[in-house]
Amino acid sequence: MRRAVNDLLGAYDKLIMDPVHGGIPLYRHEIQVIDHPLFQRLRNICQNDILSLVFPGATHSRFLHSIGVMHVGTRMFRSMIDAYLRERQLSERTDLSLSQLDAIDYLAKTIRLGCLLHDSGHSSFSHQFTQARRIRDLMSRPQRFRDLWRGVDFTRYHPDEPGELEHEHYSVRVAHDVLSSVDLDNAGLNAVDVIGIMETTDVTPSDTFCRHARTFWEFIAGEDAVAGTIGEQDVPALVMGLLSSIVSGEIDADRADYMLRDGFHSSVTIGGFNLDHLLSNLRFGWDVSEPWMGLAITQKGLGALEDFVYSRYQMYRKVYAHKTALGFDWLLREAINEVLEDAESFDWIDTCLSDMRYFAELTDNFFWEAFRKVARKQPKSYSFCIVNRVKLHHLDTRENLDKQQITDHSHWLAGELAMDPANVVTCSMRARFSNIQDNFNGIKVLVKNPISRERSLRKITEVSAFFSKFGDGTITHFYSRPEVTRMAPPDMLE
């Protein structure tokens, strides 16, 4: 209990200096997580694949991003606690009991570790790795999931075996190994609770979590908790869902950090938003009739939330979907496919994807060396283009075309430029806002009655028309294919 009080008061064991957030404090068990080889590998994985070929400053790693997410997630949770206490103090004296302090501390530390490990399963070049055709084939191999968990009971995290693996599944696998090697008992934590708030998992929380969840629910809900309208057995799952939304939701620590960090390192101001203003207006929300528990925002905080969403929208359009950046992403995927045409490289990557003893080898550095090897043998390869920054020649950009329209436009461009249609390359990015209205309806708005001063929860789109403005959107860039010579079969390589 003394440890919980000390931690809540700001005691920490180490301070990391971050260019975006400043000093980030760490506890002893978190230092052990960060020092683990499977986490240290994130130093050698770039946050934005090869975006630095377009925005030279964007060389930041998944390592620092993960620590930043932990910091933002902590701020989100604690700012809601602080706001709750401030508002309660206005109407009545509120003193936290030791059991409430212990519950808040447990949930806060669980959030911190969930945020810290949320991206630990990313491989080389982050998202582009799993989008390469030959990598997708490898990750879809039958028995891959069982090979990855050989000798370990995965059913405590995944009741059902997934058919195709994503980086989130690897994050869970990494988290299991890392947390198994950390002294969580001394920190009073349970690995199953941390992994339970990460994506793709479905866990039965520990007895400790259930106890703290009920204490937390009684603390924030007051009369609603006493009324018993939500069964005691249902509370832990609702609280776990609340914590999960901080790690991965519409307003989550991951998005908040990468938008600020990517904008900072890319020297792009359109990714900016006022994080302090946003956090100061977040609240705990619950509705006993659904039942629902999640994030709520005050009416005066809607402007900060709108800035957050619009900044994210603009970052996708102006940075992530930049015509040169998407062209290099296409070249990168083709270069990865080239590397896997070599039998030795194929076997080694196959092994790394199935055995956690070697998973740490899958970093950007591994592929950069492989690209250089291919480029030396094949000067007209995709790998040569990546190593020497030979970009695709941009022909045109169109928005909101369907598949047939993209094909038709490719043929039209080929005809106008006297090209073979097969030499027209298309790269599309879908602006992920088609479901923005429905998704943000999961976040409630605290509306105050001007007469009774009582507060009620309303859907966000009932209060703000801003979120109804977003619809489906696809940006498609058209390029001419570079003059490359396909590599010879692996047995013909010297």
Side-chain angles (χ1 to χ4, degrees):
M1 182 67 68
R2 179 182 298 174
R3 177 74 177 177
V5 174
N6 287 340
D7 291 344
L8 283 171
L9 290 175
Y12 58 87
D13 299 288
K14 190 174 184 178
L15 192 69
I16 283 183
M17 298 308 298
D18 175 67
V20 175
H21 302 294
I24 297 179
L26 300 172
Y27 301 130
R28 185 173 295 109
H29 62 280
E30 294 164 353
I31 297 171
Q32 294 172 357
V33 168
I34 291 171
D35 285 343
H36 194 284
L38 284 172
F39 193 88
Q40 284 291 312
R41 65 183 282 275
L42 297 178
R43 290 181 181 271
N44 298 310
I45 296 176
C46 193
Q47 169 75 9
N48 297 115
D49 49 79
I50 53 173
L51 187 65
S52 61
L53 294 183
V54 183
F55 299 94
T59 58
H60 50 298
S61 67
R62 287 274 164 189
F63 176 83
L64 201 50
H65 164 64
S66 297
I67 296 174
V69 174
M70 177 192 71
H71 178 67
V72 175
T74 304
R75 289 191 60 193
M76 289 177 67
F77 183 72
R78 290 194 173 183
S79 68
M80 289 187 284
I81 292 288
D82 291 344
Y84 177 83
L85 290 174
R86 285 197 308 272
E87 292 170 358
R88 285 287 295 271
Q89 288 283 6
L90 293 176
S91 58
E92 59 184 276
R93 180 172 177 81
T94 303
D95 291 322
L96 291 174
S97 66
L98 290 179
S99 62
Q100 289 170 338
L101 281 170
D102 202 22
I104 293 170
D105 180 67
Y106 187 90
L107 298 182
K109 286 181 176 176
T110 299
I111 289 171
R112 285 174 66 84
L113 285 180
C115 289
L116 186 62
L117 292 164
H118 82 288
D119 266 353
S120 57
H122 266 296
S123 294
S124 312
F125 303 114
S126 298
H127 293 285
Q128 295 305 317
F129 178 80
T130 54
Q131 292 182 29
R133 172 181 48 81
R134 292 178 69 90
I135 294 295
R136 289 239 57 91
D137 291 344
L138 273 178
M139 295 180 70
S140 302
R141 177 177 63 78
Q143 293 295 113
R144 172 76 65 190
F145 183 77
R146 288 186 175 273
D147 288 345
L148 188 63
W149 286 92
R150 185 179 291 113
V152 182
D153 180 16
F154 62 81
T155 57
R156 61 192 302 201
Y157 310 127
H158 301 288
D160 300 313
E161 183 178 344
E164 185 174 344
L165 298 187
E166 302 290 347
H167 77 268
E168 290 88 355
H169 296 107
Y170 280 91
S171 292
V172 173
R173 184 66 181 89
V174 168
H176 172 82
D177 271 19
V178 172
L179 295 176
S180 297
S181 68
V182 171
D183 185 12
L184 288 185
D185 290 338
N186 187 54
L189 299 174
N190 289 275
V192 69
D193 300 332
V194 174
I195 296 176
I197 65 173
M198 296 171 63
E199 289 185 273
T200 74
T201 60
D202 182 9
V203 308
T204 299
S206 69
D207 292 339
T208 302
F209 184 94
C210 293
R211 172 169 53 86
H212 287 316
R214 294 182 183 110
T215 299
F216 175 75
W217 166 241
E218 292 169 1
F219 165 65
I220 66 166
E223 294 181 359
D224 282 342
V226 174
T229 49
I230 294 181
E232 185 176 287
Q233 72 279 1
D234 299 324
V235 170
L238 289 173
V239 173
M240 184 158 277
L242 169 66
L243 304 193
S244 297
S245 68
I246 294 176
V247 179
S248 179
E250 283 306 313
I251 312 176
D252 61 17
D254 180 33
R255 285 191 175 99
D257 181 81
Y258 79 61
M259 284 169 56
L260 291 175
R261 194 171 300 277
D262 293 353
F264 174 83
H265 287 283
S266 302
S267 298
V268 176
T269 58
I270 55 175
F273 63 95
N274 193 325
L275 179 62
D276 292 336
H277 189 204
L278 179 63
L279 296 186
S280 68
N281 285 285
L282 286 180
R283 300 292 187 271
F284 298 114
W286 64 88
D287 186 336
V288 295
S289 63
E290 291 191 31
W292 171 84
M293 185 183 297
L295 301 182
I297 192 162
T298 66
Q299 278 185 289
K300 71 176 182 179
L302 278 176
L305 180 58
E306 290 170 359
D307 286 344
F308 176 82
V309 174
Y310 186 68
S311 294
R312 185 171 137 217
Y313 177 78
Q314 288 291 72
M315 283 291 286
Y316 271 100
R317 293 182 60 86
K318 305 301 184 182
V319 177
Y320 307 132
H322 188 282
K323 66 180 187 300
T324 309
L326 283 191
F328 274 121
D329 285 345
W330 184 87
L331 287 169
L332 175 62
R333 294 191 295 271
E334 292 302 317
I336 291 173
N337 290 333
E338 284 180 340
V339 169
L340 269 73
E341 289 177 7
D342 173 65
E344 183 178 352
S345 296
F346 180 92
D347 290 341
W348 177 241
I349 295 169
D350 186 30
T351 298
C352 292
L353 287 172
S354 291
D355 195 325
M356 294 308 295
R357 293 175 299 175
Y358 308 111
F359 183 69
E361 299 289 334
L362 287 180
T363 64
D364 293 0
N365 294 339
F366 170 83
F367 275 94
W368 277 112
E369 288 304 315
F371 294 156
R372 293 186 182 97
K373 180 180 177 181
V374 173
R376 285 193 296 270
K377 294 181 178 181
Q378 297 288 339
K380 291 188 176 181
S381 62
Y382 296 116
S383 295
F384 183 91
C385 295
I386 292 296
V387 171
N388 294 281
R389 199 185 179 277
V390 179
K391 61 183 180 180
L392 295 177
H393 177 62
H394 181 253
L395 301 176
D396 197 11
T397 297
R398 289 287 186 271
E399 295 195 21
N400 301 325
L401 301 183
D402 59 30
K403 289 184 178 180
Q404 185 58 52
Q405 289 173 324
I406 291 174
T407 300
D408 293 342
H409 193 63
S410 295
H411 282 82
W412 179 83
L413 284 172
E416 291 295 309
L417 298 171
M419 293 172 53
D420 183 342
N423 288 330
V424 177
V425 172
T426 63
C427 296
S428 297
M429 175 171 280
R430 187 174 186 80
R432 306 177 200 183
F433 297 93
S434 57
N435 296 322
I436 196 168
Q437 181 171 332
D438 293 336
N439 290 339
F440 271 94
N441 272 335
I443 301 166
K444 309 297 184 183
V445 181
L446 283 172
V447 179
K448 185 184 294 185
N449 187 305
I451 300 175
S452 66
R453 310 300 292 175
E454 292 183 355
R455 291 188 173 187
S456 61
L457 289 171
R458 293 176 60 185
K459 287 185 176 182
I460 201 165
T461 47
E462 294 176 358
V463 181
S464 171
F466 173 83
F467 299 92
S468 302
K469 298 177 182 179
F470 294 93
D472 294 338
T474 302
I475 299 173
T476 301
H477 299 301
F478 297 82
Y479 313 85
S480 59
R481 183 184 296 270
E483 294 182 5
V484 299
T485 302
R486 299 301 300 139
M487 288 182 58
D491 58 352
M492 294 180 63
L493 291 174
E494 297 179 1

